[in-house]
Amino acid sequence: RMGYCYTRESGLFVLADGMGGHPEGEVAAQIALQTVAALYQREARPMVKDPKAFLAESAMAAHQQIMRYASSKAMLDTPRTTVVAAVLQAGMATWMHCGDSRLYVVRDGRLLVRTLDHSHAERPRHRGVSESSPANRNLLLTCLGSPTTPLFDVSAPLALQRGDRIMLCSDGVWGVLDDALIVHTLSSGKPVSDAAPDLAEMALRKGGSHSDNVTLIALEWEMPDAPGEEPGISTDSISDGVFASTIQAGMLADDEI
Protein backbone atom coordinates (compact mmCIF):
# COMPACT_ATOMS: atom_id res chain seq x y z
CA ARG A 1 0.00 0.00 0.00
CA MET A 2 1.26 3.49 -0.77
CA GLY A 3 0.01 7.01 -1.25
CA TYR A 4 0.57 10.66 -0.53
CA CYS A 5 -1.13 13.68 1.02
CA TYR A 6 -0.40 17.36 0.73
CA THR A 7 -1.40 20.82 1.80
CA ARG A 8 -0.29 24.16 0.42
CA GLU A 9 2.99 24.00 2.37
CA SER A 10 3.66 20.34 3.13
CA GLY A 11 3.66 16.85 1.63
CA LEU A 12 3.50 13.35 3.15
CA PHE A 13 4.54 10.18 1.31
CA VAL A 14 3.86 6.76 2.86
CA LEU A 15 4.45 3.13 1.88
CA ALA A 16 3.64 0.01 3.89
CA ASP A 17 4.33 -3.63 2.98
CA GLY A 18 2.24 -6.25 4.78
CA MET A 19 4.32 -9.17 6.02
CA GLY A 20 3.86 -12.70 4.78
CA GLY A 21 3.70 -15.54 7.27
CA HIS A 22 1.13 -13.64 9.33
CA PRO A 23 -2.59 -13.09 8.68
CA GLU A 24 -4.03 -10.08 6.88
CA GLY A 25 -0.80 -8.27 6.08
CA GLU A 26 -2.67 -6.15 3.55
CA VAL A 27 -5.02 -4.98 6.31
CA ALA A 28 -2.08 -4.02 8.52
CA ALA A 29 -0.56 -2.04 5.64
CA GLN A 30 -3.85 -0.26 4.95
CA ILE A 31 -4.36 0.58 8.62
CA ALA A 32 -0.84 2.02 8.75
CA LEU A 33 -1.46 4.25 5.73
CA GLN A 34 -4.83 5.47 6.94
CA THR A 35 -3.59 6.18 10.45
CA VAL A 36 -0.55 8.18 9.33
CA ALA A 37 -2.68 10.12 6.83
CA ALA A 38 -5.32 10.90 9.47
CA LEU A 39 -2.70 12.26 11.87
CA TYR A 40 -1.15 14.29 9.07
CA GLN A 41 -4.51 15.81 8.18
CA ARG A 42 -4.89 16.83 11.82
CA GLU A 43 -1.37 18.25 12.18
CA ALA A 44 -0.62 19.86 8.80
CA ARG A 45 -2.25 23.28 9.17
CA PRO A 46 -0.77 23.84 6.63
CA MET A 47 2.61 22.59 7.92
CA VAL A 48 3.52 19.95 10.50
CA LYS A 49 5.00 21.79 13.49
CA ASP A 50 7.59 19.12 14.31
CA PRO A 51 8.06 16.49 11.55
CA LYS A 52 10.28 14.24 13.68
CA ALA A 53 7.79 14.14 16.53
CA PHE A 54 4.92 13.67 14.09
CA LEU A 55 6.59 10.70 12.39
CA ALA A 56 7.41 9.01 15.69
CA GLU A 57 3.85 9.55 16.94
CA SER A 58 2.34 8.26 13.71
CA ALA A 59 4.44 5.06 13.78
CA MET A 60 3.26 4.23 17.30
CA ALA A 61 -0.34 5.21 16.52
CA ALA A 62 -0.35 2.91 13.46
CA HIS A 63 1.05 0.06 15.55
CA GLN A 64 -1.61 0.59 18.22
CA GLN A 65 -4.39 0.66 15.63
CA ILE A 66 -3.19 -2.66 14.18
CA MET A 67 -3.09 -4.21 17.65
CA ARG A 68 -6.56 -2.86 18.34
CA TYR A 69 -7.83 -4.45 15.13
CA ALA A 70 -6.27 -7.82 16.02
CA SER A 71 -7.74 -7.70 19.52
CA SER A 72 -11.21 -6.88 18.22
CA LYS A 73 -11.04 -9.91 15.94
CA ALA A 74 -9.62 -12.15 18.70
CA MET A 75 -6.81 -13.09 16.32
CA LEU A 76 -4.28 -15.64 17.58
CA ASP A 77 -1.59 -14.03 15.44
CA THR A 78 -1.44 -10.32 14.64
CA PRO A 79 -1.30 -8.68 11.19
CA ARG A 80 2.07 -7.07 10.63
CA THR A 81 3.59 -4.56 8.25
CA THR A 82 6.69 -2.54 7.52
CA VAL A 83 6.35 1.19 6.91
CA VAL A 84 8.37 4.08 5.53
CA ALA A 85 7.09 7.66 5.51
CA ALA A 86 8.54 11.05 4.59
CA VAL A 87 7.41 14.60 5.29
CA LEU A 88 8.61 17.33 2.89
CA GLN A 89 8.16 20.95 3.84
CA ALA A 90 10.12 24.20 4.14
CA GLY A 91 12.75 22.80 1.78
CA MET A 92 13.51 19.89 4.11
CA ALA A 93 12.80 16.16 4.08
CA THR A 94 12.39 14.08 7.24
CA TRP A 95 11.54 10.39 7.22
CA MET A 96 10.77 7.41 9.43
CA HIS A 97 11.03 3.69 8.69
CA CYS A 98 10.32 0.44 10.47
CA GLY A 99 11.32 -2.91 8.94
CA ASP A 100 12.78 -3.28 5.47
CA SER A 101 10.78 -0.87 3.34
CA ARG A 102 13.34 1.68 2.19
CA LEU A 103 13.81 5.33 1.32
CA TYR A 104 16.42 6.42 -1.21
CA VAL A 105 17.63 9.96 -1.92
CA VAL A 106 19.51 10.47 -5.20
CA ARG A 107 21.34 13.72 -5.93
CA ASP A 108 23.37 14.55 -9.05
CA GLY A 109 23.40 10.93 -10.16
CA ARG A 110 24.70 9.63 -6.83
CA LEU A 111 23.14 7.86 -3.88
CA LEU A 112 22.98 10.43 -1.09
CA VAL A 113 20.95 8.51 1.49
CA ARG A 114 19.53 5.02 1.84
CA THR A 115 17.76 3.78 4.96
CA LEU A 116 19.25 0.84 6.85
CA ASP A 117 16.86 -2.11 7.14
CA HIS A 118 15.79 -3.44 10.52
CA SER A 119 16.94 -6.93 9.56
CA HIS A 120 19.62 -9.39 10.60
CA ALA A 121 21.27 -8.82 7.23
CA GLU A 122 21.83 -5.09 7.78
CA ARG A 123 22.13 -4.63 11.53
CA PRO A 124 25.22 -5.39 13.67
CA ARG A 125 25.64 -9.06 14.55
CA HIS A 126 25.56 -10.30 18.12
CA ARG A 127 28.91 -10.93 19.73
CA GLY A 128 30.19 -14.40 18.91
CA VAL A 129 28.40 -14.63 15.56
CA SER A 130 30.76 -14.81 12.61
CA GLU A 131 30.51 -11.95 10.12
CA SER A 132 30.73 -14.58 7.40
CA SER A 133 27.63 -16.38 8.66
CA PRO A 134 24.75 -16.07 6.20
CA ALA A 135 21.98 -13.72 7.26
CA ASN A 136 18.39 -14.12 6.11
CA ARG A 137 17.35 -10.71 4.78
CA ASN A 138 13.69 -11.70 5.24
CA LEU A 139 14.14 -12.07 9.00
CA LEU A 140 13.16 -8.68 10.39
CA LEU A 141 14.05 -7.35 13.80
CA THR A 142 10.92 -5.23 14.12
CA CYS A 143 7.66 -4.25 12.42
CA LEU A 144 4.31 -2.68 13.16
CA GLY A 145 1.77 -5.10 14.63
CA SER A 146 4.18 -7.35 16.49
CA PRO A 147 3.35 -8.09 20.16
CA THR A 148 6.63 -6.37 21.06
CA THR A 149 6.93 -2.58 20.90
CA PRO A 150 8.17 -1.62 17.43
CA LEU A 151 11.53 0.00 16.84
CA PHE A 152 11.79 2.68 14.17
CA ASP A 153 14.32 5.21 12.97
CA VAL A 154 13.52 8.89 12.39
CA SER A 155 16.00 10.87 10.32
CA ALA A 156 17.41 14.30 10.92
CA PRO A 157 15.95 16.85 8.47
CA LEU A 158 17.73 16.88 5.11
CA ALA A 159 17.98 20.16 3.18
CA LEU A 160 16.72 19.44 -0.33
CA GLN A 161 18.25 20.70 -3.55
CA ARG A 162 16.58 21.19 -6.89
CA GLY A 163 16.53 17.92 -8.79
CA ASP A 164 16.79 15.65 -5.73
CA ARG A 165 14.84 12.47 -6.28
CA ILE A 166 13.33 10.51 -3.41
CA MET A 167 11.95 6.99 -3.66
CA LEU A 168 10.09 4.89 -1.11
CA CYS A 169 9.90 1.20 -1.99
CA SER A 170 9.13 -2.30 -0.75
CA ASP A 171 11.63 -5.17 -0.69
CA GLY A 172 10.04 -6.41 -3.88
CA VAL A 173 11.99 -3.62 -5.59
CA TRP A 174 15.37 -3.53 -3.84
CA GLY A 175 15.43 -7.29 -3.33
CA VAL A 176 15.96 -7.87 -7.06
CA LEU A 177 17.46 -4.54 -8.17
CA ASP A 178 20.77 -3.50 -6.63
CA ASP A 179 21.37 0.02 -5.40
CA ALA A 180 23.55 0.94 -8.39
CA LEU A 181 20.76 0.08 -10.85
CA ILE A 182 18.15 1.90 -8.75
CA VAL A 183 20.30 5.04 -8.63
CA HIS A 184 21.13 4.85 -12.35
CA THR A 185 17.45 4.51 -13.29
CA LEU A 186 16.30 7.28 -10.98
CA SER A 187 18.95 9.64 -12.35
CA SER A 188 18.80 8.57 -16.00
CA GLY A 189 17.58 11.97 -17.20
CA LYS A 190 14.04 10.71 -17.69
CA PRO A 191 11.20 12.44 -15.85
CA VAL A 192 10.53 10.76 -12.53
CA SER A 193 7.09 9.85 -13.89
CA ASP A 194 8.89 7.58 -16.38
CA ALA A 195 11.75 6.41 -14.14
CA ALA A 196 9.40 5.05 -11.47
CA PRO A 197 7.39 2.78 -13.83
CA ASP A 198 10.69 1.65 -15.40
CA LEU A 199 11.91 0.49 -11.99
CA ALA A 200 8.66 -1.32 -11.27
CA GLU A 201 8.76 -3.07 -14.63
CA MET A 202 12.39 -4.12 -14.16
CA ALA A 203 11.63 -5.50 -10.69
CA LEU A 204 8.63 -7.47 -11.93
CA ARG A 205 10.55 -8.83 -14.88
CA LYS A 206 13.59 -9.83 -12.83
CA GLY A 207 11.46 -11.29 -10.05
CA GLY A 208 9.59 -13.43 -12.58
CA SER A 209 7.06 -15.93 -11.31
CA HIS A 210 8.47 -15.61 -7.79
CA SER A 211 8.22 -11.80 -7.69
CA ASP A 212 7.33 -10.26 -4.36
CA ASN A 213 4.96 -7.29 -4.15
CA VAL A 214 6.57 -4.50 -6.19
CA THR A 215 5.51 -1.17 -4.71
CA LEU A 216 7.22 2.20 -4.96
CA ILE A 217 6.51 5.90 -4.95
CA ALA A 218 9.01 8.44 -6.28
CA LEU A 219 9.18 12.20 -6.52
CA GLU A 220 11.48 15.00 -7.63
CA TRP A 221 12.02 18.12 -5.58
CA GLU A 222 11.44 21.29 -7.56
CA MET A 223 12.48 24.80 -6.67
CA PRO A 224 10.80 27.85 -8.27
CA ASP A 225 10.73 27.45 -12.04
CA ALA A 226 13.65 28.98 -13.92
CA PRO A 227 12.93 31.27 -16.89
CA GLY A 228 12.33 29.35 -20.09
CA GLU A 229 11.67 26.03 -18.35
CA GLU A 230 8.43 24.11 -18.49
CA PRO A 231 6.61 24.85 -15.23
CA GLY A 232 6.35 22.04 -12.70
CA ILE A 233 3.36 21.07 -10.62
CA SER A 234 2.78 23.57 -7.83
CA THR A 235 0.61 23.67 -4.72
CA ASP A 236 0.64 27.47 -4.66
CA SER A 237 -2.96 27.61 -5.83
CA ILE A 238 -4.21 25.49 -2.92
CA SER A 239 -5.94 27.36 -0.12
CA ASP A 240 -4.43 27.19 3.35
CA GLY A 241 -7.20 25.04 4.78
CA VAL A 242 -7.28 22.43 1.99
CA PHE A 243 -5.99 18.87 2.45
CA ALA A 244 -5.61 16.59 -0.58
CA SER A 245 -4.86 12.88 -0.41
CA THR A 246 -4.70 9.65 -2.38
CA ILE A 247 -5.16 7.82 0.94
CA GLN A 248 -8.51 7.36 2.64
CA ALA A 249 -7.46 8.93 5.92
CA GLY A 250 -9.09 7.70 9.08
CA MET A 251 -8.66 5.93 12.37
CA LEU A 252 -10.61 2.77 13.16
CA ALA A 253 -14.01 3.64 14.60
CA ASP A 254 -15.81 1.42 17.07
CA ASP A 255 -18.31 0.35 14.40
CA GLU A 256 -15.48 -0.76 12.08
CA ILE A 257 -13.98 -3.37 14.39
Side-chain angles (χ1 to χ4, degrees), residues 9-219:
E9 302 290 342
S10 178
L12 169 74
F13 301 83
V14 192
L15 183 147
D17 186 15
M19 294 175 60
H22 303 278
E24 299 190 41
E26 73 284 356
V27 175
Q30 187 65 29
I31 290 174
L33 252 67
Q34 291 183 197
T35 301
V36 176
L39 291 176
Y40 179 80
Q41 183 172 0
R42 186 184 72 186
E43 297 289 335
R45 298 302 176 101
M47 296 175 64
V48 176
K49 290 183 180 179
D50 185 340
K52 291 184 69 172
F54 162 76
L55 289 166
E57 176 190 358
S58 65
M60 286 306 303
H63 169 71
Q64 291 161 2
Q65 288 288 87
I66 294 168
M67 297 302 291
R68 182 183 177 208
Y69 173 83
S71 176
S72 72
K73 301 292 186 183
M75 300 176 75
L76 297 178
D77 190 14
T78 54
R80 306 181 192 193
T81 185
T82 68
V83 67
V84 57
V87 172
L88 276 64
Q89 61 182 37
M92 310 290 283
T94 310
W95 56 88
M96 166 274 294
H97 81 289
C98 176
D100 65 355
S101 289
R102 292 181 178 177
L103 178 141
Y104 289 79
V105 181
V106 175
R107 176 178 293 170
D108 297 328
R110 296 190 301 273
L111 178 62
L112 184 66
V113 175
R114 195 264 278 174
T115 52
L116 187 66
D117 304 334
H118 296 105
S119 70
H120 286 280
E122 292 223 333
R123 295 287 162 154
R125 305 295 184 87
H126 294 294
R127 184 175 298 176
V129 177
S130 170
E131 288 296 329
S132 62
S133 301
N136 183 352
R137 73 170 181 83
N138 294 315
L139 189 58
L140 299 186
L141 301 174
T142 189
C143 62
L144 301 186
S146 171
T148 57
T149 302
L151 304 174
F152 51 88
D153 292 333
V154 181
S155 76
L158 172 71
L160 295 169
Q161 295 182 12
R162 185 185 181 115
D164 284 354
R165 292 189 173 186
I166 300 176
M167 181 181 76
L168 290 66
C169 70
S170 68
D171 65 337
V173 178
W174 64 256
V176 295
L177 305 179
D178 61 33
D179 287 354
L181 181 56
I182 289 172
V183 171
H184 174 75
T185 306
L186 277 177
S187 56
S188 62
K190 289 185 176 182
V192 71
S193 56
D194 292 332
D198 285 351
L199 280 167
E201 180 62 29
M202 284 190 289
L204 287 168
R205 191 164 54 244
K206 191 164 185 181
S209 59
H210 301 290
S211 177
D212 197 354
N213 293 326
V214 172
T215 308
L216 64 93
I217 182 169
L219 62 115

